[in-house]
């Protein structure tokens, strides 16, 4: 009779622990977890403070760094950065016009037409007598098209001379056109400047021999910054389209 009474008490309360003999530890009895059944729905409500099954299935909608809401925001972190300034300014000396737009004419002496780039001109003219006239201005020629020569005067132009460009700023000489190089001893020489403002030879590049009045392009092997360019033209040759990059 005592056992039946105990079962009648345990079943309505849905006791999780088995009902039967009492706990041997009378001083610290094991806790009994119970849950009441809703008489209307028959469901068992979640214990107070717990999360229901529906709430547990909900997805966290907080935007993540890679969510579509943030797409494209960090694809190009440098898109708003200013474009870096080029190390040097590229320019082409074509002897057609000065930098202010004034046309250059055959037999004109080239003086300060490109001074805004820091470029100056000087020549050494080899005379037919065997002497050399130093520090003269080179002149323009138009055979077969505009170029710069040490001299165009006959018969002295057959001996040629030196066409020199000086640079007020460190300048890289990228390439140039050469016209009517029929002598195999022509060359290009580059100079730096020491702390005593003296030109120091840096590199020499041979100019290949070509046919009469032929024009060809030469890319310089040494494109480091220099302070002077010397073109030795041992004949009636000229130079055109000098491409440089000036570091100001």
């Amino acid at each position: 009779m005592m056992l039946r009474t105990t079962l009648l008490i345990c079943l309505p309360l849905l006791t999780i622990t088995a009902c039967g003999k009492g706990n041997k530890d009378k001083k610290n009895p094991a806790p009994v977890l119970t849950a009441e059944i809703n008489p209307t729905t028959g469901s068992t409500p979640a214990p107070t403070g717990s999360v229901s099954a529906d709430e547990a299935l909900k997805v966290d909608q907080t935007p993540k760094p890679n969510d579509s809401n943030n797409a494209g925001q960090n694809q190009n972190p440098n898109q708003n950065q200013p474009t870096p300034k080029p190390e040097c300014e590229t320019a082409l000396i074509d002897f057609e016009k000065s930098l202010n737009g004034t046309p250059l004419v055959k037999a004109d002496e080239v003086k300060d037409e490109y001074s805004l780039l820091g470029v100056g001109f000087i020549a050494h003219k080899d005379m037919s007598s065997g002497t050399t006239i130093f520090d003269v201005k080179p002149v323009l020629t138009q055979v077969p098209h505009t170029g710069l020569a040490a001299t165009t005067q006959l018969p002295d132009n057959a001996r040629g001379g030196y066409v020199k460009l000086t640079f007020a700023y460190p300048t890289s000489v990228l390439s140039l056109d050469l016209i009517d190089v029929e002598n195999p001893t022509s060359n290009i020489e580059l100079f730096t400047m020491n702390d005593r403002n003296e030109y120091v030879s840096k590199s020499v590049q041979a100019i290949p021999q070509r046919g009469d009045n032929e024009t060809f392009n030469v890319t310089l092997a040494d494109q480091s910054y220099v302070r002077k360019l010397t073109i030795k033209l041992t004949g009636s040759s000229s130079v055109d389209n000098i491409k440089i990059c000036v570091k100001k």
Side-chain angles (χ1 to χ4, degrees):
M1 188 67 180
M2 187 63 178
L3 177 58
R4 183 179 300 172
T5 303
T6 303
L7 290 174
L8 290 175
I9 293 172
C10 291
L11 289 175
L13 295 178
L14 295 177
T15 305
I16 293 176
T17 58
C19 296
K21 295 181 180 181
N23 194 313
K24 293 181 179 181
D25 188 356
K26 301 298 183 178
K27 295 182 180 181
N28 297 305
V32 178
L33 301 178
T34 62
E36 296 182 0
I37 300 175
N38 190 316
T40 303
T41 63
S43 64
T44 304
T48 304
S50 63
V51 179
S52 67
D54 291 340
E55 292 173 338
L57 292 174
K58 289 181 180 179
V59 179
D60 184 4
Q61 300 298 324
T62 305
K64 301 297 188 300
N66 295 326
D67 282 353
S68 59
N69 292 337
N70 295 331
Q73 292 182 4
N74 297 318
Q75 291 181 359
N76 186 4
N78 296 322
Q79 62 183 355
N80 295 324
Q81 297 296 324
T83 303
K85 183 180 179 181
E87 186 178 71
C88 59
E89 176 187 352
T90 303
L92 179 66
I93 300 176
D94 59 7
F95 304 109
E96 300 289 342
K97 294 180 180 180
S98 64
L99 292 180
N100 62 12
T102 303
L104 301 180
V105 182
K106 176 184 176 181
D108 279 355
E109 292 183 348
V110 178
K111 300 176 182 178
D112 57 359
E113 287 82 359
Y114 296 93
S115 60
L116 291 178
L117 294 172
V119 180
F121 298 88
I122 197 170
H124 292 171
K125 184 167 55 175
D126 292 335
M127 308 297 289
S128 57
S129 61
T131 60
T132 299
I133 301 178
F134 295 93
D135 299 336
V136 297
K137 291 296 181 183
V139 294
L140 292 172
T141 178
Q142 290 181 336
V143 180
H145 56 76
T146 304
L148 190 66
T151 178
T152 58
Q153 298 174 356
L154 294 173
D156 296 328
N157 65 340
R159 294 182 59 84
Y162 291 77
V163 173
K164 302 181 181 183
L165 280 69
T166 59
F167 307 118
Y169 310 106
T171 300
S172 172
V173 183
L174 306 179
S175 64
L176 47 81
D177 288 348
L178 291 164
I179 308 165
D180 193 27
V181 179
E182 299 180 83
N183 194 306
T185 59
S186 299
N187 61 44
I188 299 168
E189 189 169 6
L190 297 173
F191 295 81
T192 57
M193 183 176 285
N194 62 23
D195 54 6
R196 297 188 297 276
N197 293 327
E198 298 170 337
Y199 292 114
V200 178
S201 179
K202 186 176 186 298
S203 62
V204 178
Q205 180 173 340
I207 298 175
Q209 183 179 8
R210 294 297 176 90
D212 184 37
N213 285 336
E214 182 179 350
T215 299
F216 60 99
N217 181 264
V218 173
T219 298
L220 270 73
D222 183 357
Q223 297 189 3
S224 58
Y225 292 114
V226 295
R227 299 298 295 273
K228 186 171 75 169
L229 163 69
T230 295
I231 306 168
K232 180 184 178 183
L233 301 172
T234 53
S236 58
S237 310
S238 57
V239 59
D240 192 16
N241 296 325
I242 304 173
K243 188 176 183 180
I244 61 175
C245 203
V246 183
K247 184 178 182 181
K248 294 185 178 181

